[in-house]
Amino acid sequence: MGKDKDDDGSSVGGGSDGSSCSSDSSSGSDRMDAENEWGDWEDEGPQEMPTQCLLSGAVKPTPEAALAADREQGLDLLGLLGTHGLGLYGAMKVINYIRTLVLKQGVSAEQVVALVQDVDGLRTALQGDVLLQPILEDDPLLFALGELLEAHGLDLLLQQEEEGEGRGEEEEEGENGTGTQAMAAESETVPDQHLSLQEQRKLVQENHALREELGEVRTRLKRLSELMAAVDEDVKVRTKPERQDNDTYYFKSYSHHGIHETMLKDTVRTQSYREAIQKTGLEGKVVLDVGSGSGVLSMFAAKAGAAQVVGVDRSGIVEQARAIVKLNGLEEKVVLVQGKMEEVSLPVEKVDVIVSEWMGYCLLYESMLPSVLAARDKYLRPGGLLLPSRCTMLVQGVGDYEGKLGWWGNVYGLDMSPLRASVLAEPGVEAVDPKAIMTDAFVFKDFDLYTVQDRELDFEAEFSLTVGAAAAPTAGAAAAAAVWKEGRRLRGLVISFDTFFEGLSGGQSVVFSTRPEEKDTHWHQTLFWLTEAPEGGLGEGDVVKGKLRFLRNAINPRDYDVAISWEVRRKRGEVVVGQGKQSYTLGS
Ligand SMILES: C[S@@+](CC[C@H](N)C(=O)[O-])C[C@H]1O[C@@H](n2cnc3c(N)ncnc32)[C@H](O)[C@@H]1O
């Protein structure tokens, strides 16, 4: 799946619409849908602004909801700002400070709560203007800050702060006040003591300029919202404000037969599922198929002897799937429910087996796994079976490889190489030539689907790869030997995944792999170019080490923000021949 792309593999980075399988997004029916949705939109109250919580990283529909969730974990941001006497400016820094701790440094929620309550520590942390730089692009919390402060009566403090700033300049060497007021003054107005007088003046000026800009932006935003309200009221123009409705586009892509054709034609995928279902011993069992699509897995289960199969899918494909089930004479056993797994009520209380094909590009893109975990927690009876039961993610080094990049060098006889730079900046989905693999394979994530929790789907993991070493084979798959030539340059890292169906009848298991060395699947592999990789060739035994970070995107949690930091060392260990850091978006 992941399956909103052409089967020839393509980029899943910026610019591609994560739901583009149904390509006629401006068709008449789409427009009608958009108009029909307008009614719902009006009734829904405040506009959603999906916001990442400061502590947990979970995404909530509004900044207020995100702050409420943080409060439950012990961080009362607005209370803290009030206590420390911080206004808009300081509040921005506090938010960016906490995001730095959580997202960049992996500090735990408890530690963060303790850190921000330490007045002296926080004062030191907030010095300078560095923390005015947002950590999350378009952070809704920063956008909403002015209103949140006002709503909590903190605007007065902002006034004091601004007045205080004037006083601060007059009193330059004098009292900065004590306690929290001093902190507000120091963190927001006093430049770094180590800077030269000239640099300090420049900072103060920039400080003023930034405050003025902020003030202007707020005024403009206020004016804009007044104008929009006026237009809506007086002219009755029905323009639907842009909002992220990731589900509508996502499920629409699955209502087209083309995406199902791609998946069904993937024989590695479909035959592995069929084999696992046949080896499960389903006689008399109740099965839940999460995301039943064309109904293929539900029908495999019914044919394998299941007493009852319930398939759930929210996309429009359900209608055709029901017809298919009937045509194949399985309607007595297979019931298909149209709706979102998290929302539907099922005709059964508990099930013996849950089967689901939820995997996306790079395993996690598309983020369907949380829906399977929700179904597991609600419907799987104790001791029930999950198909699949485990997935691992692997990384391998790619050397001297052009892949689809090379195509830009000669497009109908024209050299379009300037476009290479943007291709290199995005994760590419393609069938990587196994001959380009120059390291062993490192399993950096192992999801036990019986126990994994939603929060673990945002994670950081280390990896270590050895140039020229053979990868350990996947159970049941062919050995993956690195094809190695001395002196090859490292060009990128390729990520693939293995899927395990364990605990089948008589202890049997089924495994399939999406590694480059295995038979290609519609997931292919995901290639992350390392544009700063060392120019020089590497030798056998050299080591590529690093960290991978996968975080669901704050605006569209079906996308992932991926960051890779890496370094290359010579085989004897100590000489670092290159290092770097790169960030990517896996998705639209
Ligand atoms: C990758 S397809 C698999 C289809 C089918 N099981 C197969 O193997 O060919 C995933 C399906 O899950 C559905 N889906 C994804 N998330 C869902 C959710 N939360 N609730 C209901 N259906 C969902 C999609 O509409 C899509 O049809």
Side-chain angles (χ1 to χ4, degrees):
M1 69 177 226
K3 334 312 180 21
D4 50 349
K5 301 291 170 204
D6 297 340
D7 193 32
D8 68 342
S10 58
S11 162
V12 287
S16 60
D17 178 352
S19 58
S20 59
C21 192
S22 55
S23 54
D24 58 339
S25 59
S26 60
S27 69
S29 71
D30 282 4
R31 276 195 300 276
M32 269 171 55
D33 283 354
E35 274 165 28
N36 290 340
E37 281 160 19
W38 172 246
D40 302 343
W41 174 246
E42 277 186 322
D43 293 335
E44 273 170 18
Q47 185 180 344
E48 290 199 355
M49 264 213 285
T51 305
Q52 199 168 334
C53 298
L54 288 166
L55 291 182
S56 67
V59 177
K60 300 289 170 188
T62 61
E64 288 84 353
L67 290 186
D70 285 325
R71 253 195 315 279
E72 277 175 25
Q73 280 197 272
L75 174 67
D76 177 4
L77 181 77
L78 295 167
L80 182 92
L81 298 174
T83 319
H84 288 334
L86 293 171
L88 186 62
Y89 209 36
M92 287 169 74
K93 290 185 186 178
V94 173
I95 288 172
N96 292 328
Y97 173 53
I98 299 175
R99 295 235 189 265
T100 308
L101 292 174
V102 174
L103 301 177
K104 297 202 160 174
Q105 295 169 13
V107 177
S108 72
E110 294 76 23
Q111 282 173 306
V112 171
V113 172
L115 280 171
V116 294
Q117 275 159 2
D118 168 7
V119 177
D120 289 338
L122 189 60
R123 180 190 318 172
T124 311
L126 299 189
Q127 276 178 3
D129 284 348
V130 175
L131 285 170
L132 285 174
Q133 180 73 25
I135 301 303
L136 290 181
E137 210 180 313
D138 298 334
D139 190 342
L141 209 45
L142 294 179
F143 286 136
L145 206 47
E147 277 179 21
L148 288 169
L149 291 176
E150 270 174 2
H152 285 76
L154 291 172
D155 202 37
L156 255 186
L157 282 172
L158 177 65
Q159 287 300 114
Q160 283 171 10
E161 222 175 85
E162 279 161 0
E163 285 160 15
E165 191 180 16
R167 273 204 316 276
E169 277 162 34
E170 282 155 29
E171 294 167 2
E172 220 158 6
E173 301 283 302
E175 327 107 59
N176 269 328
T178 53
T180 57
Q181 279 203 342
M183 179 173 157
E186 277 184 41
S187 68
E188 306 205 359
T189 63
V190 178
D192 192 323
Q193 304 294 328
H194 303 292
L195 298 177
S196 73
L197 206 56
Q198 209 179 4
E199 285 169 325
Q200 292 189 20
R201 281 214 186 94
K202 196 164 161 250
L203 272 183
V204 171
Q205 279 165 0
E206 283 172 2
N207 220 351
H208 276 297
L210 272 174
R211 278 169 184 264
E212 274 166 21
E213 264 176 46
L214 266 176
E216 263 176 46
V217 169
R218 291 184 69 199
T219 316
R220 268 192 241 143
L221 276 176
K222 216 170 174 181
R223 178 84 192 112
L224 191 64
S225 63
E226 283 165 8
L227 273 175
M228 281 175 71
V231 167
D232 206 23
E233 193 54 31
D234 302 339
V235 194
K236 301 276 182 225
V237 174
R238 293 203 141 202
T239 45
K240 182 178 173 184
E242 262 202 47
R243 66 171 170 161
Q244 288 266 186
D245 180 355
N246 307 312
D247 270 5
T248 301
Y249 294 115
Y250 172 72
F251 289 113
K252 196 171 241 187
S253 77
Y254 276 112
S255 57
H256 191 271
H257 67 266
I259 201 162
H260 295 279
E261 183 178 342
T262 302
M263 292 187 285
L264 294 168
K265 281 183 175 165
D266 179 342
T267 51
V268 173
R269 176 201 93 112
T270 311
Q271 282 177 0
S272 299
Y273 269 88
R274 183 169 63 174
E275 194 186 338
I277 287 169
Q278 287 172 342
K279 288 182 173 169
T280 296
L282 280 181
E283 283 73 21
K285 297 276 165 55
V286 178
V287 178
L288 169 61
D289 177 2
V290 179
S292 45
S294 63
V296 61
L297 304 183
S298 294
M299 290 184 285
F300 284 164
K303 287 186 125 191
Q308 191 182 0
V309 185
V310 181
V312 177
D313 204 297
R314 168 150 169 213
S315 85
I317 197 72
V318 168
E319 264 174 52
Q320 285 112 303
R322 283 191 186 123
I324 295 169
V325 166
K326 198 159 181 213
L327 189 64
N328 286 276
L330 295 168
E331 73 272 27
E332 299 282 299
K333 281 188 168 183
V334 179
V335 180
L336 297 182
V337 178
Q338 183 165 13
K340 198 166 173 183
M341 187 65 238
E342 294 82 341
E343 293 162 6
V344 292
S345 35
L346 298 188
V348 290
E349 229 172 79
K350 292 282 170 197
V351 301
D352 302 298
V353 178
I354 292 182
V355 65
S356 183
E357 197 280 78
W358 52 265
M359 295 84 82
Y361 292 130
C362 204
L363 187 68
L364 295 173
Y365 169 58
E366 191 173 333
S367 296
M368 184 179 157
L369 181 53
S371 308
V372 179
L373 301 187
R376 173 199 68 186
D377 295 343
K378 191 164 176 195
Y379 292 109
L380 190 64
R381 71 157 174 75
L385 190 76
L386 284 176
L387 300 174
S389 55
R390 196 177 140 217
C391 279
T392 53
M393 296 175 81
L394 307 102
V395 60
Q396 290 163 284
V398 175
D400 284 341
Y401 181 67
E402 277 281 287
K404 293 168 86 187
L405 253 188
W407 183 78
W408 294 100
N410 181 358
V411 183
Y412 299 96
L414 302 169
D415 188 349
M416 296 201 176
S417 303
L419 284 172
R420 286 167 62 100
S422 51
V423 177
L424 282 167
E426 294 178 1
V429 172
E430 63 183 88
V432 174
D433 183 350
K435 293 197 211 72
I437 301 300
M438 61 183 282
T439 68
D440 53 354
F442 188 93
V443 176
F444 64 89
K445 198 72 200 169
D446 191 339
F447 290 116
D448 175 345
L449 298 174
Y450 287 102
T451 55
V452 66
Q453 299 298 315
D454 186 289
R455 62 173 182 280
E456 295 168 63
L457 306 182
D458 299 297
F459 62 89
E460 238 180 38
E462 294 184 348
F463 65 88
S464 176
L465 300 166
T466 306
V467 172
T474 325
V483 181
W484 172 240
K485 273 191 251 132
E486 193 70 20
R488 278 173 121 186
R489 273 184 338 135
L490 178 71
R491 293 303 309 278
L493 297 176
V494 65
I495 292 184
S496 56
F497 61 90
D498 291 350
T499 301
F500 301 76
F501 303 84
E502 300 156 315
L504 309 179
S505 126
Q508 300 176 86
S509 58
V510 172
V511 183
F512 75 85
S513 173
T514 65
R515 300 182 194 194
E517 300 86 350
E518 305 296 337
K519 187 172 171 194
D520 194 30
T521 68
H522 77 288
W523 289 287
H524 309 295
Q525 293 84 40
T526 308
L527 181 53
F528 296 84
W529 299 100
L530 298 181
T531 47
E532 305 290 318
E535 280 304 311
L538 300 183
E540 193 165 1
D542 289 348
V543 171
V544 185
K545 267 190 174 184
K547 236 186 216 173
L548 292 152
R549 193 182 68 197
F550 280 74
L551 285 182
R552 274 168 282 190
N553 183 274
I555 305 295
N556 180 357
R558 293 202 182 275
D559 295 348
Y560 263 85
D561 297 325
V562 180
I564 303 179
S565 58
W566 52 270
E567 73 176 25
V568 182
R569 284 176 183 270
R570 287 290 176 219
K571 90 171 129 188
R572 300 220 197 292
E574 289 329 312
V575 192
V576 177
V577 285
Q579 57 191 10
K581 231 187 216 173
Q582 230 169 305
S583 306
Y584 314 78
T585 301
L586 195 57
S588 45

